[in-house]
Amino acid sequence: MSGARLCSLLDELGYEGHRATYPDSFEWPFQYEEDAPAFELSLRLHSYEKEVEREAAKTADMKEKGADPYDLKQQENVLAESRIMIPDCCKRLESSLADLKGILLGSKLGKLAPTQIYSISFIHHYTAKKFQNIEIFCKP
């Protein structure tokens, strides 16, 4: 989301200080305590997804090559442990996104600096867009 778009959204939401907000004055996001958890959780979730893909491919390769049953069982345990991490991370990310949305729609919005508002809206927009089908891959 561009700074100009954010300023127009702030106007639509009734933020009184939007005219004093300059789109080019926004700092790089992800630096405020309100938005950091969602950003970190989205990165962690992405990492877990990649780990599951990697471990699933390794497990399939071991099955294909006829690996020792003990080694195969250990690899399946590693894959299962990787899969277990995703639902918990999804729940925490959904909660964090709800918190960000609450900030953007709540009374606290007027108390935040324009850079904080931009950062929160950017994180919410990015994360919600990236994980729009979060419930599909987060079910155990």
Side-chain angles (χ1 to χ4, degrees), residues 58-70:
K58 187 175 179 180
T59 303
D61 186 51
M62 288 176 74
K63 285 180 182 178
E64 187 179 293
K65 292 180 179 177
D68 179 62
Y70 178 79

Side-chain angles (χ1 to χ4, degrees), residues 5-6 8 10 13 18 33 39 51 62-63 66 92 95 97 101 114 118 122 124 128-129 132:
R5 175 73 179 127
L6 175 64
S8 68
L10 291 173
L13 291 172
H18 76 280
E33 65 183 56
F39 182 64
E51 181 179 336
M62 288 176 74
K63 285 180 182 178
R92 292 171 41 207
S95 173
L97 286 174
K101 188 174 184 178
Y118 173 74
F122 181 85
H124 184 272
K129 183 177 177 183
Q132 60 187 327

